[in-house]
Amino acid sequence: MAEWTSAVGAAQLARLITSQQERPSLPGARKLPAYRTLADGIRLLVLEGRVPVAARLPAERELAASLSLSRTTVAAAYEALRGEGFLESRRGAGSWTSVPAGNPLPARGLEPLPPESLGSMIDLGCAALPAPEPWLTKAVQGALEELPPYAHTHGDYPAGLPALRRMLADRYTERGIPTMPEQIMVTTGAMGAIDAICSLFAGRGERIAVESPSYANILQLMRAAGVRLVPVAMADGLAGWDMTVWRQVLRDAAPRLAYVVADFHNPTGALASDEQRRAMVEAARSAGTVLVVDETMAELRLDPALEMPRPVCSFDPAGSSVITVGSASKAFWAGMRIGWVRAAPDVIRSLVAARAYADLGTPVLEQLAVNWLMRTGGWTEAVQIRRDQARENRDALVAAVRRELPDWEFEVPRGGLTLWARAGGLSGSRLAEVGERVGVRVPSGPRFGVDGAFEGYVRLPFTVGGPVAEEAAVRLAAAARLVGTGAAGSTAEPPRTFVA
C-alpha cells in the first residue's frame, strides 16, 4: 500500500524550485553545491505547505530532466532529504514528503501563533490587531441584555438576525447604494461568505480569476475547493489593477467568478480608483463573470485626508454582476466572526438554501453584539481606535524597516493592514524560515501567489508598533544577513524574550 496521498509532477515541482532560485546572488554569498540547493528548495516548499506532506515526488530521472540537472544531483538531494526526515522512500512505492518527528505540520494559510508562543516570537504572520476596548466588552454586555427574547426561540437564523440584516442594508443605503434586508445574508466571517459563494457558483474544475498577488487564505480555500485559479497580475507598487490585462483574461478564460480586494488590497495595500472599479464591473458583465468584491479592509482608511472611491457595487445598479462581502473581523476584531454578503435577492435566497448543508447559521450573540455597536455609534468609535492604532503601527514599522533594511523596496499604503515589500533580492521563503529561528515570524511572498510567484517578497502587517516594531526590523535584518551570506542553514542564536 502506498504511503503517499497526493502527487507532485516533475514540471510543477521544477517551476516551484526554479522560482526560488531566480533571485540575484548578493556579494559575499556562499555558493552551495547543486544537490544542497535542490534539497533546501524542496525542504522549504514542504515547510511552507506549498508541497503537501505525504505528496509523492517525481522520479529522479523525471525531475532531473525538468531541471536540466544530472540524475546524480537529484539522487543526492533526495538522499539528503531522507537523512533530514523530509523524505521517505520504499522500493516500488517511490518517494514522498514527510516532516521530522516533533515538527509541526505546515499549513498553507496564515494561522496565528498560539498566545503562549508570543513571549519570544514577534508574530508578523497574522494581520489582526487586539480588540478595540472598551467597545468589545460594551458590545457583549449590550448583546447579553438583548438576548432573552431570542433565547425563547430556536435560535436558528440561516439568513442572519433580521435586525442585523436591516442594519447592514441601511448602512449600504447610507453609502449611496439602496439596499433591502432581502439582499443581505449574515455569515461566519468573510471566509464563510466566500466559501458559500464559491460552493454555489464554482464547482470543482471551474475557473476563478484572482489578483496576483492575492489574500493567501482565500487562495487556499479555493484550492481546497478544487477550482482552477486564473492569476491576473497586479501593476507594480500601488498602481493596482491593469484593466487591459483584466479585460483580456476575463474574455479569454471566461472564469465563473473573479475575486478582488478593491479597498486597500491584501497584501499590496492598493486602492482601486472609481475608473478602475467601473471598468472592472463592465469587463465582468461583458464576460459573464460574477465579480466577488471583498470589502473587509474598506473602513481602514489610515490617511484622514483620503477621499474614498465609490463602492464597487454602486457601478452595478441591477445587482447582476457584483457580490459584495464584508466583515467585522478586520475593522473591529478578528475574534468577532461576523461577516455578510450583499447580493441580488435571488442570489441571497440560493445562498441561504444551500446553507442547510453547511453551517446552518451564525452565532446569535455575536450578531447582537455587532448590531449593538452599529446602532449605538460604538462601531464608529471602535473603528476610529483601530485606524489610529494601525496608523501608528504602520509609521513605526515603515521607519524601522527603512532604517534596518534600506535596500528593501515598498510603497506605503494609505490604508489597510499590510505592507508588501521586495526583500532586496533575497528569497522570501528562506527569510520566513530563518526569521522563525531568530524570533520573527513573517509570511513569504509565494503564499500570496499561484505556482511559486513572488519569491522575492514578504508581507509585513501593521500589527506591532513602537519598540516591538523596531525589534521586529532588527530580527528581520538578522535573518536577511544569514540568508544573504548563505549561512541560513547554520544554527541561529535563539531569540530572546521580548516584553513590550
Side-chain angles (χ1 to χ4, degrees):
M1 178 177 177
E3 303 288 343
W4 46 272
T5 57
S6 62
V8 181
Q12 178 189 5
L13 185 57
R15 280 198 308 272
L16 292 170
I17 291 169
T18 301
S19 71
Q20 295 178 329
Q21 299 169 355
E22 289 175 348
R23 312 309 304 162
S25 299
L26 297 182
R30 188 177 67 197
K31 185 172 178 61
L32 298 175
Y35 86 90
R36 185 68 262 172
T37 299
L38 176 58
D40 286 349
I42 295 174
R43 176 173 54 84
L44 281 171
L45 292 172
V46 173
L47 287 172
E48 285 209 322
R50 290 191 284 144
V51 168
V53 176
R56 186 180 185 275
L57 296 188
E60 295 168 0
R61 189 185 304 277
E62 295 173 358
L63 185 58
S66 293
L67 289 170
S68 298
L69 295 173
S70 71
R71 184 178 178 183
T72 302
T73 297
V74 176
Y78 277 17
E79 183 60 34
L81 290 168
R82 278 189 286 269
E84 296 165 2
F86 287 94
L87 196 68
E88 296 183 22
S89 304
R90 195 177 71 234
R91 185 178 297 277
S95 299
W96 57 93
T97 57
S98 61
V99 293
N103 276 41
L105 288 176
R108 295 185 73 172
L110 303 178
E111 73 290 349
L113 280 177
E116 61 270 17
S117 301
L118 296 178
S120 59
M121 182 72 68
I122 298 175
D123 186 9
L124 298 181
C126 184
L129 290 161
E133 288 288 30
W135 292 106
L136 175 61
T137 299
K138 288 184 176 182
V140 173
Q141 290 171 342
L144 286 171
E145 292 174 2
E146 297 176 5
L147 182 62
Y150 295 93
H152 293 292
T153 73
H154 48 64
D156 186 3
Y157 297 90
L161 289 185
L164 181 55
R165 295 177 74 195
R166 191 161 48 248
M167 177 64 69
L168 292 168
D170 289 346
R171 287 173 62 85
Y172 277 106
T173 301
E174 291 169 3
R175 295 169 65 191
I177 310 105
T179 303
M180 303 178 296
E182 292 79 8
Q183 292 177 261
I184 301 292
M185 181 177 83
V186 182
T187 62
T188 307
M191 292 287 288
I194 294 170
D195 186 34
I197 293 166
C198 290
S199 297
L200 179 64
F201 283 92
R204 297 188 70 85
E206 292 273 11
R207 295 184 181 93
I208 298 181
V210 295
E211 297 145 329
S212 183
S214 186
Y215 179 35
N217 285 341
I218 293 296
L219 294 180
Q220 182 54 19
L221 181 155
M222 292 175 177
R223 290 187 188 102
V227 303
R228 298 165 62 186
L229 297 179
V230 181
V232 187
M234 296 282 283
D236 288 339
L238 299 181
W241 297 260
D242 185 331
M243 290 316 306
T244 301
V245 175
W246 269 100
R247 290 189 190 93
Q248 180 179 344
V249 170
L250 295 184
R251 182 180 63 246
D252 294 348
R256 188 72 181 91
L257 296 176
Y259 169 76
V260 298
V261 186
D263 298 283
F264 308 121
H265 175 260
N266 186 355
T268 68
L271 177 66
S273 66
D274 281 330
E275 291 74 17
Q276 288 172 322
R277 293 166 191 243
R278 179 184 290 106
M280 183 76 71
V281 173
E282 292 173 353
R285 186 181 295 122
S286 297
T289 297
V290 176
L291 191 61
V292 181
V293 180
D294 186 335
E295 284 192 336
T296 54
M297 296 282 186
E299 298 204 53
L300 294 176
R301 182 185 73 249
L302 304 187
D303 290 0
L306 175 63
E307 183 176 346
M308 290 294 291
R310 293 163 57 188
V312 176
C313 57
S314 69
F315 298 100
D316 180 41
S320 60
S321 298
V322 176
I323 297 176
T324 302
V325 172
S327 172
S329 298
K330 295 297 185 184
F332 185 74
W333 183 48
M336 187 68 77
R337 303 305 304 160
I338 297 295
W340 53 86
V341 178
R342 182 200 179 275
D346 62 318
V347 172
I348 295 297
R349 286 193 295 270
S350 297
L351 288 170
V352 171
R355 200 169 194 179
Y357 309 101
D359 63 355
L360 295 178
T362 303
V364 169
L365 188 63
E366 293 186 26
Q367 292 186 72
L368 288 172
V370 171
N371 188 60
W372 183 93
L373 283 165
M374 292 180 172
R375 190 185 72 247
T376 62
W379 179 269
T380 301
E381 297 286 343
V383 169
Q384 189 57 52
I385 292 172
R386 171 67 71 244
R387 288 173 178 163
D388 293 343
Q389 185 179 13
R391 184 187 309 110
E392 291 176 5
N393 288 355
R394 178 196 65 181
D395 295 347
L397 186 64
V398 165
V401 172
R402 282 177 171 163
R403 182 180 62 251
E404 299 293 336
L405 294 152
D407 57 335
W408 285 25
E409 303 170 37
F410 54 84
E411 290 188 39
V412 182
R414 303 182 71 182
L417 289 172
T418 57
L419 188 73
W420 184 240
R422 190 192 301 268
L426 299 177
S427 161
S429 298
R430 287 178 168 79
L431 279 169
E433 182 199 20
V434 178
E436 294 220 20
R437 302 211 305 263
V438 299
V440 60
R441 183 170 180 260
V442 59
S444 66
R447 286 181 178 266
F448 303 88
V450 178
D451 283 343
F454 308 108
E455 183 60 51
Y457 289 81
V458 294
R459 190 192 73 170
L460 306 176
F462 312 142
T463 52
V464 296
V468 185
E470 294 176 5
E471 178 66 15
V474 168
R475 295 184 185 186
L476 279 173
R481 285 192 296 273
L482 287 171
V483 173
T485 59
S490 62
T491 302
E493 180 183 348
R496 61 185 183 277
T497 299
F498 183 78
V499 179

